Each structure stands twice: as structure tokens, then as C-alpha cells.
């Protein structure tokens, strides 16, 4: 019998890697982890780092640049995704590079109420100075740090919880599904802001409370998405194949289902990073989030609220607003671009 | 509106539909990809023309191009489509709309997609007449009801008042055909109209389609992958390969005197009744269909052709050459090839010896609330044996597989695998040895592998779970051996499923199932989603491995041709019950169970030397939630005995070794049945029966 082997296109000789797909992007994961871990350490645990504090973010600068380059190369199909990536990576890069840029101390009062593009007290203010005389450029570039750290961390936490419960509800079904969906429905019935304010009032104002609050408000929505995707995926033959070779439920959920639902989840994660950024900025503006004096966009908007009533000083509010909007826009454009690319194949 | 019979309008020898040098391309990210190249077709009034080929050969594109339904990225890049002398490609959208509804109608594979789910059937049918012929509603409904009778749908009143989802697939397809015929079209384009249907339902639709051209004088272009269906319905056919017509001519002539190596290869890979796994195995076409962006120079079939001659077959595009006045082939070597020689590459095998009983099923029943999915199944499977479980959708064959695999539990009865009771033991409670000895090959190649993991990882995972203390190097080595076993290159280990074709995925599925060296492999329709030539290769591979390992193969299928070809014993199921079981030879020869008889008569056979006795069964399978109290087939059985069959469960009558027929008919009646399939060489013997 002639069963000659079909011609083999030699485009991707991925000869070496038989590992699960999660490890196929080890470089990206490692770089993201490096940037994120050092930012968290720098912002949240400055004392624990001791003398290393000053240099903690240096390795993250090339890491962020490499990430940006990788993204630009692999997303060449979608201009929208690349614009979004550029916006997001700009702020991440500023967040990690701020300590090493030739900026004045963002908390040092120099010349109050200086409009943009003017020199005063021996210093040229590109974006002006606020009512206490602090350099707006320096504060804006520094100000992204906390939003990015808490935003990404909180979203990641919400994702871990939402994905875990979503997989359980969607794959195990039965009572798990009933109970988890019921809890999710209750949480989803609260208006988001009310839920956030309740949690923060109850737990006190800190970054960790923000993580909890965001998890409570986002995880049910994530759970719903994952549950739906897992329900569909569970009916496919390869899940039956895994069951018939006696794989455990956690293995099936994490190795068999999760990698195959990642597409829509990545898109949703980008959108949710945007929502979380909005939520954190709003909470800070309401005085429930991060506390002064360190620069933060929400805080800058809040502090500028009264001065900016005069048109002449509106820049104090416009500058941080544009900054936060561009970050959110970046996340949303990335989501749009990724969705567009996933639909194209 | 013109209401005379179409023959009158187009009398004389002028064709009703003609494609001249039609070329169609699709715009993709890789640029303009030609889908159909230089296609010619002449369709005379009242003629049925078959268009055959494997997936990706461009046959559906032709039907869509004729209707100019190519979608946003399709472009007709050259040629003409003449309908009644008018070039359809130059019509304005308004003119085109008139032609589409009234003169040319198209019937698709999925009837549900052609019917509006929110509208009653009556309104949908009447709309055709009110829009195209300006009839008022009442007379339109009358005409619709009359048309339902002509497509042989009984109880027109109930059907007209029904919504599409309340009808079965076969009824829906008849409605779609009725809808197309209402406008009295001159040409009917049928794109795989029966592929989604069960075989006994398909037989009825095919019968209907065959009568349409006789009764309505409609010309038909019948697109199908099934050569047997084309033989039963068409007068002429065109065989397509990679966007080109490779052979065209009268059906009978092409079937008896093949003049293109691809057509010949197709025939050799179909399990016709004369094929046999031991003495006359299938011959597969080596290689794969070229991708449309990367077709070879010269003959597109060249790289896979056993008669390929460098310098001649690959120098320039091969033109169509006339074989006879009506028969043409796109081959340079028509005159040189010995077309009657048996195809090269056939390897005969030894008969296998069948061992002790491995799997014993007794009185197995499964109910979901009122649905009786399995009812009192009793059979056994022995070592190295291929046991086929045959039946149409809803017969309970997949439910049985789920229970056997431990994904579901039986309501009563027992399954014993080498002495271990499994009927109510879920897979999570089975020990490793049991799980290992029972593996499965799945139906859908696009579903069987995890799209995110590499092939190597997925095969290695089975070894890690079942292989006792293998080192990483040993696992790696074994994965490569398994790839050799399923005849795939070793570097496939690093690939992901999306880089594989359907047949290759199915091979990986087979490698995965056999990786743990199981005692029993359940194959649930493992080849039904594949193309004909790929089917043959995968079937042969599955059998080879099974024989070499002495595995028991439970082959679940609806395709009697494949079953006849590869199985040693057959279990025929209908609505959860076993109707007949026995050795393959006994099942395919009289005495038959009436259901087996109907099933055999329904299967289209791509062999003009074979004649089939016609058996007509009416209706469709009753709902499994409300089956008849007696024999489940009694509602459709032409032999049903009143007051007996529908009330009392029939006894199993034993004919010969292990051949049991569950039927009330007297023994003598069953024994007196005539064979369904009569081959030409045995015609003399059969003749005495007929006389």
C-alpha cells in the first residue's frame, strides 16, 4: 500500500518545543514580570529594597523597550493595536524611567501658578507649575506610576479570581455553577462605584483595598465570560479525549481549556485595564484612593479642581486628564486591534 | 409570467446553461487566489450534470459563480456564464434578481439555513409565488400545498402551518426543494443537498431529485463529493481537481472507462462492494491537494500521479483532450496508460485470527428521563476483531460509546471488559489499567486535538499518564515512533494542529489513541468528515495498526460501505435497539432484517456494474422519547404485521453462527428475501432468483 507522507512545508520547524503553549511566550512573560515586579517593589515596598531602591527600575527600561519592539513587530497587521500599544508603552516606559530622567523633584515647590512654556525661578516649565509651584511635567511623568502599578495588579487579581471561578462554573457545572453564578449575579447587581466605595470605606484607604475592591467589582464579569467560553469548549472532542484518558479536572481546566479561550480574554483584559484605570483615578479624585503628597493623576486632577475653575489655570487639570485619557485610550485601542486581528484569521 | 413547461421555451438543441472558460478568484491576504480555472460546462434542458471533487476543488465556487453569489472577496476573472444565450455576468442587479428567483434556483446543504426560522412554512412558500408571479395569497397557498404533494410530503396542511424547527431535516430539505420548484426554474443548482441527512432519508431525497428532471424538465447541476450519488442522479459528470475540470463525459462512460489518473484514483479509494480488506484493499492517492496559492506547473495532479512523466506533464498547462465525442480528459498520456490494469500499490493482507472475548455487553439500557437512548443491548467483541456498530443518527451508538468510555453511566445492564464491570463506573473512578486499555478515536478532525498544544505534547501526555516510568528521552523516542506508525514526518511533533490537514489530524488522533497500547479502541465515525481519498488512507492505517497490535476495534459508523469493507462483525442499531447482528458476510446477504434491507438499498454505490433492488421505506425515525412499544422500526417497516409489531418486542431469531435478527416475520419470509446488491459477475446466479 502506498501511503507516502504528505509534503512538509518547512515554515516553522519548532523542533525543540513540545511544551504547553503557556511557555511559548516565555520571553514576553519574563519581560512583563520583570517590569511589573520591579515597579511594584519600587512603588509599594520602597523600604524593603533599602539601598537598591535607587537602581531598582534600571533593568526595566530596556525590558519595556524590548516589549514595545516585540509588540510592534508581531502586531504589524493592525495599525490600531500598534497605536494603542505605543500609548500604553509610553506611559509604562515613563513610569519606569521617571527616576532617571533629568526631572526636578515632583514634590518640590518652586514657582506657584506658572503657566506652561515659561521660565521662572531659574527653571523652564514646559507644562507649567501647579498652585504649590511643583513642576507639572515632572508630576505628570511620575504620576502614572501608581495608577499603572495598582491598575495592573488589581486587574490581574480580578482575572485570577474570575478565571478560576469561571472555569469551575463552566467545566464542573452542576452545583458549582449554580452557586458561583448566583454570587456573581448578586455582585453584578451593585452599581460599580457604590461597590468600590463600600469596600474602600469598610477596609480603609490603601492600595490593597483598591485591589480587593476592583476584584469584587470585575471578577464576576470575568467569571461570566470565562464560564461561557468554557461551556462551549467543554463540548469539544479533545476535552472528551482528555477525560477518557483520566485527566483530573484542574488539568483539563488549566491545560486543555484555558489556552483555548485566551483570545477573547486578552481582548477583555485590555478593556478592563482601561476600566480599572478609570476607577482608580476616580477613587483618588473622590479622596478614597491614594493619598498625597506623591504625584498621581487622580490626585493632580483633584487638587487642581478649584484652581482650574479659572481658564488661565485650566492646564493644571487638562495635563493630568490628557495623560490618564491617553493611557485608557491606549488600552482600548489595543483591545480593538487585537479583536480585529483575531477575527481576521 | 411564462408558465409553459420549460422544454417548450427552450426547445431544440441549444443549451440552457453554459460556462465558457469561467475563471474565479478569491481575494485573500496572500493576494488573488484562483479557485476555478478555465471551466467549461454545457447543460442541456432537462439534463442532470454532476460536479464531483474533494473539498477545495472549486465545485461549490462554480455553483456560486453561476448565481453570482461569490461574496465580497470573490471575483469572476474571466469567461462567460450563458443562461439561455444571455451572459449572466453582464446583467444589472435588477435583472439578476429576476433570473435568480425565477429561472435559476439554488439548494444548499443545510436546509435550516435556507428557511426563515420565524416564518411559518406556508407563508414562506406562498411568498415565492406572490413575489415572483403576482398571485394572491389564497391561490398561492393552494399551489404551495399542491407542490408539497409533488415533493412527497404527506399532511400538507400541518406542514404549511409549521415553523421550520418543527420539521425534521429531511422534511426541511423537501420544503427547500419545493420552494425552488414553485417558481418553475429552468435550472436547479444543488450544492450537496443530502450531505447533512441520514442515509435512508437521503435515499428518498435522491429519488425525488431524480424524478424532478423527468417530471418538471428542470436542468440540474448537482454538486457532490459522493460519486455514488452522482451515478444515481445524473446523466453527465465533471470531475474537478484543484480548481480545474479534469474529466468530463456521460456518467456511464466515465465510470466504465476512466481516462484521468485522478478519477481513477478516486474510484480505487472508494470501498465498493467488490473491495475487501484482505484480498482487494483500497488504494489511496499519495500526497495532498496542492494549496491554491502554490499549484504545480503543468498538470496540477502531476506530483501525486503514478503516471507522471517529467518534462511532459510539468512543462505547460494541460488542455482538455477529447477521448470520444462526449468524453474529455485533462491528461497528456491518455493514449499511453493501460487504463484496465489494476491500480498499482495494492497490498493484500492476511486474514486476522480472532481471539477470545474481550468485551461483553449484556442487557445494557440507558434512559434520560423518558428518552430511551439504549435499550437492552447484548453483544460481544473479541480480541483483534473489528466490530462495527451501524445506525443512523439517534440510534444510540454514540450513547453506548459514552457509557463504555465512562463519560456516562448505564441505567441497567452490564459491560464487562476482560471481567471488569464498567457499566456504572465513571472514568474518574476507573483504575489506570482500565483507562489505558480503552481508548477512543473521535469523529471531527478539527475537534479531536487541542488547538493550543503541540502534537508532540499531546501524544507524550498519553505516554506520561500510561507509560510506566518512562524517562523523558524514552517518551520522546516513543512519540517519534508513533508518528512513524501513523506515517507522518517526525517533525510534526513540534507542530500545532492548525498547521495540519484534516487527515493528518485524524492520524494524530489515531496515534494518540494507540499510544497507551489499548486492548479496545472505540472509533466514532473516524473518517466520515474526511475527503474520499483521505478516508481510504486513514481507514487503511487504522486497520493496519489494529491488526499489528491485535486490538479490538469498535467501529461506530453510519456508512455501510466502509463497514462492509473493514469489519468482521456488524451490529445494526435502530432507535436504541439492536435490529440485527452477525458476521459481515451474513449482514450483507439475505436473510436481512427489514431495516438492514432498507439501509442497504439506500446506500449509493459508485459502481455501474452493480444493480440494487429498490426498497422504499417511508417516514423518518420516531422520536426516541416516544418510541413504539414493540419493534422501533414498525412505524416505517414495509413488512409490519398489524397489531403485532408495534405492540410486542420482536424475538431474536438465530440464523447461522452468531447471526441474529430481531423480527416478528416468519423465518421462511426472512429466508426468502432476495439480495439487495447484485454484482454483474454474479448476475447469472441472481438471475435465477429474479426469474
Amino acid at each position: 500500500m502506498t501511503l507516502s507522507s504528505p509534503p512538509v512545508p518547512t515554515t516553522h520547524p519548532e523542533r525543540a518545543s513540545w511544551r504547553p503553549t503557556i511557555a511559548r511566550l516565555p520571553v514576553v512573560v519574563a519581560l512583563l514580570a520583570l517590569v511589573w515586579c520591579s515597579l511594584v517593589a519600587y512603588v509599594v515596598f520602597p523600604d524593603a529594597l533599602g539601598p537598591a531602591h535607587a537602581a531598582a527600575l534600571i533593568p526595566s527600561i530596556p525590558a519595556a523597550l524590548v516589549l514595545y519592539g516585540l509588540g510592534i513587530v508581531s502586531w504589524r497587521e493592525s495599525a490600531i493595536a500598534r497605536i494603542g500599544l505605543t500609548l500604553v508603552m509610553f506611559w509604562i516606559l515613563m513610569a519606569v524611567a521617571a527616576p532617571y530622567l533629568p526631572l526636578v523633584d515632583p514634590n518640590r515647590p518652586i514657582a506657584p501658578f506658572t503657566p506652561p512654556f515659561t521660565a521662572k525661578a531659574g527653571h523652564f516649565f514646559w507644562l507649567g507649575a501647579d498652585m504649590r509651584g511643583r513642576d507639572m511635567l515632572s508630576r505628570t511623568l511620575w504620576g502614572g506610576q501608581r495608577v499603572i502599578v495598582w491598575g495592573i495588579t488589581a486587574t490581574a487579581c480580578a482575572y485570577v479570581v474570575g478565571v478560576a471561578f469561571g472555569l469551575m462554573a463552566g467545566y464542573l457545572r452542576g452545583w458549582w455553577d449554580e452557586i458561583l453564578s448566583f454570587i456573581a449575579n448578586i455582585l453584578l447587581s451593585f452599581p460599580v462605584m457604590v461597590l468600590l466605595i463600600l469596600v474602600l470605606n469598610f477596609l480603609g484607604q490603601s492600595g490593597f483595598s483598591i485591589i480587593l475592591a476592583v476584584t469584587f467589582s470585575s471578577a464576576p464579569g470575568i467569571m461570566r465570560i470565562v464560564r461561557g467560553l468554557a461551556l462551549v469548549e467543554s463540548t469539544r472532542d479533545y476535552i472528551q479525549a482528555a477525560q477518557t484518558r483520566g485527566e483530573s479536572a484542574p488539568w483539563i481546566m488549566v491545560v486543555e481549556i484555558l489556552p483555548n479561550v485566551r483570545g477573547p480574554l486578552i481582548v477583555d483584559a485590555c478593556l478592563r485595564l482601561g476600566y480599572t484605570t478609570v476607577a482608580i483615578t476616580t477613587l483618588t479624585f473622590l479622596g478614597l484612593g491614594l493619598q498625597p503628597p506623591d504625584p498621581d493623576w487622580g490626585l493632580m486632577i483633584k487638587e487642581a479642581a478649584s484652581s482650574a475653575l479659572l481658564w488661565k489655570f485650566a492646564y493644571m487639570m487638562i495635563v493630568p486628564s490628557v495623560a490618564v485619557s491617553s493611557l485608557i485610550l491606549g488600552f482600548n485601542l489595543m483591545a480593538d486591534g487585537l479583536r480585529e486581528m483575531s477575527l481576521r484569521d | 409570467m411564462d408558465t409553459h413547461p420549460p422544454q417548450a421555451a427552450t426547445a431544440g438543441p441549444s443549451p440552457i446553461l453554459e460556462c465558457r472558460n469561467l475563471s474565479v478568484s478569491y481575494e485573500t491576504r496572500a493576494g488573488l487566489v484562483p479557485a476555478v480555472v478555465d471551466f467549461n460546462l454545457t447543460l442541456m434542458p432537462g439534463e442532470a450534470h454532476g460536479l464531483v471533487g474533494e473539498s477545495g476543488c472549486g465545485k461549490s465556487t462554480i455553483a456560486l459563480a453561476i448565481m453570482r453569489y461569490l461574496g465580497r472577496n470573490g471575483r469572476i476573472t474571466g469567461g462567460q456564464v450563458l443562461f439561455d444565450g444571455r451572459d449572466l455576468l453582464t446583467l444589472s442587479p435588477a435583472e439578476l434578481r429576476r433570473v435568480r428567483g425565477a429561472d435559476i434556483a439554488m439548494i444548499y446543504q443545510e436546509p435550516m439555513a435556507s428557511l426563515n426560522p420565524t416564518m411559518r412554512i406556508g407563508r414562506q412558500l406562498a411568498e415565492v409565488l406572490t413575489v415572483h408571479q403576482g398571485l394572491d395569497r389564497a391561490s398561492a397557498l393552494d399551489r404551495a400545498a399542491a407542490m408539497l404533494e409533488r415533493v412527497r410530503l404527506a399532511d400538507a396542511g400541518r406542514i404549511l402551518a409549521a415553523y421550520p424547527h418543527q420539521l425534521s431535516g429531511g422534511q426541511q430539505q423537501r420544503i427547500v426543494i419545493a420552494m425552488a420548484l414553485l417558481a418553475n426554474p429552468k435550472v436547479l443548482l444543488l450544492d450537496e443537498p443530502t450531505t447533512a441527512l441520514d442515509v435512508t432519508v437521503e435515499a428518498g431525497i435522491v429519488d425525488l431529485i431524480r424524478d424532478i428532471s423527468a417530471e418538471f424538465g428542470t436542468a440540474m447541476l448537482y454538486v457532490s463529493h459522493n460519486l455514488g450519488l452522482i451515478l444515481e442522479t445524473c446523466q453527465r459528470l465533471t470531475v474537478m481537481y484543484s480548481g480545474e475540470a479534469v474529466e468530463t463525459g456521460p456518467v456511464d462512460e466515465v465510470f466504465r472507462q476512466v481516462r484521468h489518473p485522478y478519477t481513477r484514483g478516486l474510484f480505487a479509494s472508494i470501498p465498493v462492494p467488490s473491495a475487501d480488506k484482505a484480498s482487494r484493499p483500497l488504494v489511496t492517492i499519495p500526497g495532498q491537494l496542492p494549496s491554491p496559492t502554490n499549484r504545480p506547473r503543468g498538470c496540477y495532479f502531476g506530483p501525486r500521479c503514478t503516471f507522471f512523466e517529467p518534462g511532459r506533464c510539468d512543462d505547460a498547462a494541460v488542455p482538455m483532450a477529447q477521448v470520444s465525442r462526449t468524453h474529455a480528459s485533462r491528461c497528456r498520456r491518455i493514449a499511453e496508460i493501460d487504463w484496465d490494469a489494476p491500480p498499482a500499490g495494492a497490498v493484500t493482507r492476511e486474514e486476522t485470527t480472532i481471539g477470545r472475548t474481550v468485551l461483553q455487553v449484556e442487557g445494557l439500557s440507558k434512559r434520560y428521563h423518558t428518552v430511551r437512548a439504549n435499550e437492552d443491548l447484548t453483544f460481544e467483541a473479541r480480541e483483534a476483531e473489528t466490530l462495527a456498530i451501524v445506525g443512523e443518527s439517534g440510534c444510540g451508538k454514540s450513547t453506548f460509546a459514552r457509557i463504555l468510555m465512562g463519560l456516562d453511566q448505564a441505567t441497567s445492564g452490564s459491560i464487562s471488559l476482560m471481567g471488569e464491570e464498567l457499566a456504572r463506573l465513571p472514568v474518574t473512578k476507573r483504575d489506570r489499567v482500565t483507562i489505558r486499555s480503552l481508548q477512543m478515536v473521535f469523529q471531527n478532525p478539527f475537534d479531536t486535538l487541542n488547538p493550543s498544544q503541540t502534537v508532540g505534547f499531546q501524544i507524550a501526555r498519553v505516554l506520561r499518564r500510561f507509560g510506566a516510568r518512562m524517562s523523558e528521552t524514552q517518551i520522546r523516542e516513543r512519540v517519534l515512533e508513533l508518528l512513524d506508525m501513523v506515517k507522518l514526518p517526525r517533525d510534526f511533533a513540534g507542530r500545532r494542529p492548525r498547521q495540519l490537514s484534516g487527515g493528518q489530524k485524524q492520524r494524530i488522533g489515531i496515534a494518540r489513541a494507540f499510544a497507551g497500547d489499548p486492548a479496545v479502541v472505540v472509533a466514532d465515525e473516524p473518517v466520515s468528515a474526511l475527503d474520499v481519498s483521505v478516508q481510504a488512507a486513514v481507514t487503511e492505517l487504522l486497520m493496519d495498526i489494529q491488526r499489528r497490535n491485535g486490538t479490538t476495534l469498535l467501529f461506530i459508523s453510519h456508512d455501510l460501505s466502509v463497514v462492509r469493507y473493514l469489519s468482521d462483525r456488524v451490529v445494526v442499531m435502530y432507535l436504541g435497539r439492536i435490529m440485527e447482528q452477525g458476521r459481515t458476510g451474513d449482514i450483507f446477504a439475505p436473510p436481512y432484517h427489514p431495516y438492514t434491507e432498507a439501509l442497504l438499498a439506500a446506500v449509493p454505490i459508485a459502481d455501474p456494474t452493480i444493480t440494487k433492488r429498490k426498497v422504499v421505506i417511508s417516514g423518518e425515525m420516531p422520536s426516541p422519547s416516544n418510541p413504539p412499544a414493540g419493534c422501533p422500526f414498525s412505524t416505517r417497516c414495509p413488512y409490519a404485521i398489524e397489531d403485532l409489531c408495534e405492540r410486542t418486542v420482536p424475538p431474536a431469531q438465530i440464523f447461522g453462527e452468531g447471526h441474529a435478527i430481531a423480527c416478528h416475520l416468519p423465518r421462511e419470509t426472512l429466508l426468502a428475501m432476495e439480495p439487495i446488491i447484485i454484482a454483474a459477475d454474479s448476475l447469472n446466479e441472481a438471475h435465477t432468483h429474479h426469474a
Side-chain angles (χ1 to χ4, degrees):
Chain A
M1 205 175 108
T2 51
L3 264 171
S4 81
S5 36
V8 187
T10 47
T11 39
H12 296 290
E14 299 165 82
R15 206 173 271 272
S17 72
W18 292 6
R19 278 170 225 310
T21 194
I22 300 155
R24 202 174 72 133
L25 305 164
V27 179
V28 173
V29 172
L31 290 174
L32 277 175
L34 175 66
V35 172
W36 179 69
C37 289
S38 47
L39 255 180
V40 169
Y42 187 87
V43 175
V44 186
F45 307 105
D47 304 330
L49 289 174
H53 185 247
L57 288 176
I58 292 177
S60 297
I61 298 172
L65 285 170
V66 171
L67 269 176
Y68 179 61
L70 282 175
I72 289 290
V73 171
S74 53
W75 294 347
R76 75 178 89 72
E77 289 167 42
S78 166
I80 289 179
R82 290 163 84 173
I83 294 170
L85 181 75
T86 307
L87 287 172
V88 169
M89 288 313 292
F90 171 77
W91 288 116
I92 291 183
L93 196 62
M94 284 306 121
V96 294
Y100 316 108
L101 291 175
L103 297 170
V104 290
D105 180 350
N107 291 330
R108 196 183 94 201
I110 306 172
F113 296 106
T114 313
F117 306 113
T118 35
K120 215 174 189 183
H123 184 76
F124 187 80
F125 293 94
W126 287 96
L127 297 178
D130 68 2
M131 55 280 155
R132 297 215 186 113
R134 297 171 294 192
D135 180 31
M136 290 285 291
L137 175 68
S138 173
R139 283 183 77 73
T140 307
L141 295 187
W142 277 89
Q145 257 186 4
R146 293 204 293 183
V147 167
I148 288 170
V149 164
W150 293 114
I152 294 179
T153 313
T155 312
C157 279
Y159 252 85
V160 171
V161 174
V163 166
F165 286 143
L167 285 173
M168 280 154 72
Y171 176 68
L172 301 175
R173 320 264 276 277
W175 282 108
W176 282 102
D177 190 15
E178 300 275 333
I179 293 168
L180 291 170
S181 296
F182 183 71
I183 296 172
N185 284 337
I186 291 180
L187 287 173
L188 281 170
S189 67
F190 280 87
V192 176
M193 258 309 141
V194 174
L195 189 67
L196 291 178
I197 292 169
L198 270 178
V199 173
L200 282 173
N201 271 330
F202 189 69
L203 294 172
Q205 296 163 10
S206 74
F208 294 100
S209 308
I210 288 184
I211 293 179
L212 260 172
V214 169
T215 305
F216 265 107
S217 66
S218 288
I222 299 166
M223 193 207 103
R224 283 260 195 108
I225 297 172
V226 177
R227 174 182 171 274
L229 293 167
L231 273 175
V232 174
E233 217 59 23
S234 306
T235 62
R236 304 201 35 193
D237 283 348
Y238 65 84
I239 302 295
Q240 279 196 35
Q243 289 168 337
T244 54
R245 62 170 189 264
E247 300 284 7
S248 65
W251 170 278
I252 291 178
M253 289 191 274
V254 175
V255 181
E256 306 283 345
I257 298 179
L258 187 55
N260 293 308
V261 300
R262 69 183 187 278
L265 288 189
I266 291 172
V267 173
D268 179 72
C270 288
L271 284 176
R272 237 167 251 283
L273 280 167
Y275 300 155
T276 310
T277 312
V278 174
I280 292 178
T281 314
T282 313
L283 286 172
T284 316
F285 175 77
L286 292 175
L288 286 167
L290 308 162
Q291 295 305 303
D294 282 338
D296 177 84
W297 293 335
L299 219 52
M300 288 165 73
I301 297 171
K302 180 190 173 173
E303 287 173 345
S306 48
S307 320
L309 286 175
L310 284 174
W311 173 243
K312 197 177 157 197
F313 303 123
Y315 69 90
M316 287 184 206
M317 198 170 203
I318 290 170
V319 170
S321 307
V322 167
V324 71
S325 305
S326 63
L327 178 63
I328 295 162
L329 181 68
F331 283 130
N332 289 352
L333 290 180
M334 248 162 75
D336 267 6
L338 287 173
R339 184 172 350 198
E340 184 195 348
M341 282 190 283
S342 73
L343 289 179
R344 208 173 279 171
D345 299 309
Chain B
M1 196 65 217
D2 161 288
T3 46
H4 343 269
Q7 295 101 313
T10 57
S14 71
I16 184 79
L17 184 75
E18 223 184 328
C19 294
R20 288 192 191 154
N21 308 87
L22 181 68
S23 293
V24 184
S25 296
Y26 285 109
E27 262 172 35
T28 67
R29 271 191 281 176
L32 209 60
V33 175
V36 172
V37 189
D38 191 23
F39 177 79
N40 286 289
L41 170 86
T42 313
L43 189 63
M44 305 304 278
E47 183 183 59
H49 193 114
L51 208 51
V52 195
E54 299 180 280
S55 46
C57 72
K59 56 189 192 300
S60 293
T61 301
I62 289 172
L64 293 169
I66 292 170
M67 290 294 262
R68 283 180 58 193
Y69 273 152
L70 283 170
R72 199 179 292 177
N73 61 341
R75 297 265 180 288
I76 294 173
T77 48
Q80 285 177 304
V81 179
L82 300 177
F83 172 74
D84 228 353
R86 274 194 300 170
D87 190 351
L88 291 181
L89 306 185
T90 59
L91 294 189
S92 72
E95 290 171 309
L96 193 63
R97 234 183 350 260
R98 270 197 297 279
V99 170
R100 275 177 184 166
D103 294 327
I104 307 181
M106 187 150 176
I107 291 163
Y108 299 90
Q109 178 174 340
E110 276 295 333
M112 207 44 199
S114 312
L115 296 171
N116 184 338
T118 64
M119 259 164 87
R120 290 181 198 276
I121 298 294
R123 224 183 114 200
Q124 298 193 46
L125 288 174
E127 201 172 55
V128 177
L129 296 167
T130 51
V131 170
H132 281 291
Q133 306 189 2
L135 260 66
D136 64 274
R137 241 189 104 96
S139 49
L141 274 173
D142 283 347
R143 284 269 301 276
M147 184 53 81
L148 289 188
E149 240 146 75
R150 295 176 82 175
V151 296
R152 292 172 218 145
L153 276 170
D155 202 1
R158 185 185 68 84
I159 287 177
L160 287 176
Y163 285 100
H165 71 268
Q166 296 168 319
L167 304 175
S168 70
Q171 289 171 325
Q172 286 173 4
Q173 196 61 293
R174 281 172 197 266
I175 299 285
V176 174
I177 293 172
M179 196 185 279
L181 291 176
L182 269 179
N184 206 0
K186 299 191 177 91
V187 176
L188 204 53
L189 307 177
L190 301 122
D191 190 357
E192 306 263 9
T194 59
T195 308
L197 304 175
D198 268 322
V199 61
T200 52
V201 181
E202 174 184 79
I205 302 271
V206 167
D207 226 33
L208 173 67
I209 289 171
R210 199 167 29 201
D211 292 347
I212 286 173
S213 41
E215 196 181 328
F216 294 79
T218 316
M220 288 192 289
L221 185 64
Y222 194 112
V223 175
S224 178
H225 66 282
N226 188 330
L227 280 163
L229 275 179
I230 297 293
L231 176 66
E232 294 199 350
T233 49
C234 299
Q235 288 98 52
R236 292 179 62 82
L237 95 159
T238 301
V239 181
M240 303 280 300
Y241 181 78
S242 189
E244 274 187 341
V246 292
E247 187 163 5
T248 180
V251 168
D252 213 45
E253 193 176 332
V254 174
F255 272 65
R256 284 172 196 270
Q257 299 172 341
V258 174
R259 285 298 176 269
H260 193 281
Y262 173 65
T263 321
R264 190 174 129 111
L266 270 187
F267 279 116
S269 54
I270 299 174
V272 288
S274 56
D276 179 272
K277 66 174 162 180
S279 60
R280 267 195 65 187
L282 303 181
V283 185
T284 61
I285 305 174
Q288 274 184 309
L289 192 74
S291 100
T293 49
N294 196 17
R295 294 193 174 114
R297 252 173 76 85
C299 177
Y300 292 166
F301 188 61
R304 301 174 69 185
C305 183
T306 35
F307 304 104
F308 180 74
E309 198 181 295
R312 253 181 93 202
C313 294
D314 58 359
D315 60 343
V318 183
M320 250 344 198
Q322 290 306 127
V323 177
S324 70
R325 201 175 55 79
T326 50
H327 182 181
S329 163
R330 204 181 280 276
C331 180
R332 283 214 195 280
R333 307 191 57 200
I334 296 174
E336 300 148 46
I337 297 171
D338 176 9
W339 295 102
D340 295 325
V347 177
T348 54
R349 300 190 190 82
E350 303 272 304
E351 293 272 1
T352 24
T353 41
I354 287 164
R356 71 208 158 90
T357 302
V358 176
L359 185 75
Q360 179 87 46
V361 181
E362 263 196 62
L364 190 80
S365 295
K366 171 70 187 174
R367 289 178 189 206
Y368 300 96
H369 305 291
T370 57
V371 175
R372 288 193 235 158
N374 282 171
E375 194 71 14
D376 197 19
L377 303 186
T378 302
F379 60 90
E380 57 177 43
R382 306 201 192 102
E383 196 179 328
E385 180 181 54
T386 303
L387 176 72
I389 302 178
V390 187
E392 298 175 279
S393 50
C395 76
K397 54 195 196 295
S398 297
T399 304
F400 169 72
R402 285 182 62 82
I403 295 170
L404 178 61
M405 299 311 291
L407 302 176
D408 220 329
Q409 278 81 62
T411 314
S412 62
S414 88
I415 298 177
S416 124
L417 177 76
M418 291 175 290
E420 190 168 355
E421 178 51 45
L422 298 179
R424 268 171 300 280
L425 196 63
V427 66
T428 43
K429 299 214 173 79
R430 293 183 183 180
D431 60 51
R432 216 171 67 157
V433 180
T434 313
I435 291 177
R436 180 186 169 161
S437 53
L438 202 52
Q439 282 296 297
M440 188 151 175
V441 179
F442 295 89
Q443 172 175 13
N444 187 344
F446 299 94
D447 243 22
T448 185
L449 301 179
N450 186 331
S452 300
Q453 314 290 8
T454 61
V455 164
F457 174 81
Q458 298 191 53
I459 301 176
R461 180 66 195 168
V462 181
L463 297 173
R464 290 205 179 95
R465 282 203 68 76
F466 298 146
R469 281 187 226 97
M470 280 170 102
S471 72
E472 276 305 301
T473 357
Q474 280 170 318
I475 287 179
R476 228 183 154 76
E477 197 42 49
R478 181 81 186 114
V479 168
L480 296 178
E481 280 171 25
L482 284 162
L483 284 174
D484 294 344
M485 179 183 83
V486 294
K487 309 200 167 135
L488 289 175
R490 289 188 159 202
D491 71 334
F492 271 39
R495 293 211 187 176
R496 268 161 227 286
R498 74 181 131 80
Q499 297 166 291
L500 271 53
S501 71
Q504 290 168 341
K505 284 183 206 173
Q506 218 48 338
R507 283 164 192 255
I508 301 293
I510 291 171
R512 184 180 61 186
F514 282 89
D517 205 8
V520 177
V521 168
V522 180
D524 188 357
E525 307 260 12
V527 297
S528 65
L530 302 174
D531 269 322
V532 180
S533 67
V534 183
Q535 265 187 20
V538 174
T539 309
E540 292 289 312
L541 176 78
L542 188 59
M543 271 180 357
D544 272 344
I545 299 171
Q546 179 231 349
R547 284 155 163 271
R548 203 177 317 142
N549 298 5
T551 317
T552 305
L553 183 65
L554 287 192
F555 190 86
I556 297 176
S557 179
H558 70 278
D559 185 343
L560 279 176
S561 313
V562 177
V563 165
R564 175 190 191 122
Y565 174 69
L566 62 73
S567 59
D568 300 306
R569 280 195 315 119
V570 180
V571 172
V572 182
M573 283 181 72
Y574 185 79
L575 209 65
R577 279 185 185 277
I578 294 179
M579 299 279 101
E580 181 173 1
Q581 61 174 309
R583 283 178 306 194
T584 308
D586 294 336
I587 295 288
F588 286 82
Y592 304 113
H593 186 282
Y595 175 61
T596 316
E597 186 189 35
L599 209 53
L600 276 173
V603 179
I605 295 172
D607 188 343
T609 64
I610 278 176
T611 33
K612 278 194 309 185
R613 183 158 61 85
K614 198 168 164 172
V615 176
V616 182
I617 60 164
S618 54
E620 293 183 30
M621 196 184 276
S623 151
S625 60
N626 188 22
C631 173
F633 190 57
S634 59
T635 56
R636 299 169 75 190
C637 182
Y639 304 94
I641 305 166
E642 223 170 305
D643 286 342
L644 176 64
C645 289
E646 74 260 33
R647 300 228 178 122
T648 322
V649 175
Q653 306 191 44
I654 309 294
F655 296 83
E657 193 203 325
H659 183 201
I661 297 178
C663 189
H664 284 299
L665 287 180
R667 227 181 143 76
E668 306 76 62
T669 318
L670 290 171
L671 281 169
M673 280 186 167
E674 287 171 16
I676 287 284
I677 296 167
I678 305 146
D681 44 20
S682 63
L683 210 60
N684 295 337
E685 307 156 42
H687 227 75
T688 48
H689 279 282
H690 266 286

